[in-house]
Amino acid sequence: MSTFDDRERAEEAKYAHDSALDFKVMNRRNKLLGVWAADLLGLHGADAEAYAKEVVMSDLEEPGDEDVFRKVRADFDAKGVDRSDARIREHMAELVAVAREQIMKEKKD
């Protein structure tokens, strides 16, 4: 039974590690999205940083990406930024890979 217990503990540890990594990646993606959106909204410096934090915090409203998307979409609409829903979602997807690469690089350093 010891081998089974060891395997089970290893799987649980891997799941916990993968979940933590996914959480970090999505937070980084949201920050990168916030920086991108801030630039399009004409925000710079501390205002851009504050906006990026708002985007990260918006992800705590509900599971999934819809809360983040709605925040950016509403802010773009309020400021007249011309980006389609498809382009916002596409950029969100692109940034997942960028965020994962950044996180993995940081782990190696």
Side-chain angles (χ1 to χ4, degrees):
M1 206 56 158
S2 177
T3 302
F4 179 76
D5 292 340
D6 290 344
R7 187 178 304 152
E8 184 176 19
R9 276 191 288 272
E11 287 295 320
E12 288 172 357
K14 181 181 179 337
Y15 178 78
H17 175 268
D18 291 349
S19 294
L21 180 62
D22 289 345
F23 180 78
K24 288 177 185 177
V25 167
M26 294 314 286
N27 276 339
R28 178 68 57 90
R29 187 275 316 256
N30 293 339
K31 181 179 178 184
L32 294 170
L33 180 69
V35 169
W36 172 75
D39 183 54
L40 294 172
L41 291 166
L43 302 173
H44 304 287
D47 290 336
E49 289 178 35
Y51 181 78
K53 287 179 185 177
E54 287 179 27
V55 173
V56 170
M57 296 304 292
S58 73
D59 195 25
L60 302 176
E61 293 175 13
E62 64 187 43
D65 291 338
E66 287 305 304
D67 43 2
V68 175
F69 171 79
R70 277 194 310 270
K71 162 113 181 98
V72 173
R73 171 81 276 156
D75 293 342
F76 280 3
D77 289 346
K79 294 285 189 169
V81 175
D82 185 25
R83 288 294 182 279
S84 69
D85 289 358
R87 181 62 190 124
I88 296 169
R89 290 182 191 281
E90 182 180 287
H91 198 65
M92 288 172 74
E94 292 167 357
L95 289 174
V96 171
V98 172
R100 185 170 302 279
E101 183 179 314
Q102 288 180 0
I103 295 293
M104 297 307 286
K105 185 176 185 227
E106 290 171 6
K107 284 179 65 175
K108 290 179 183 178
D109 293 341

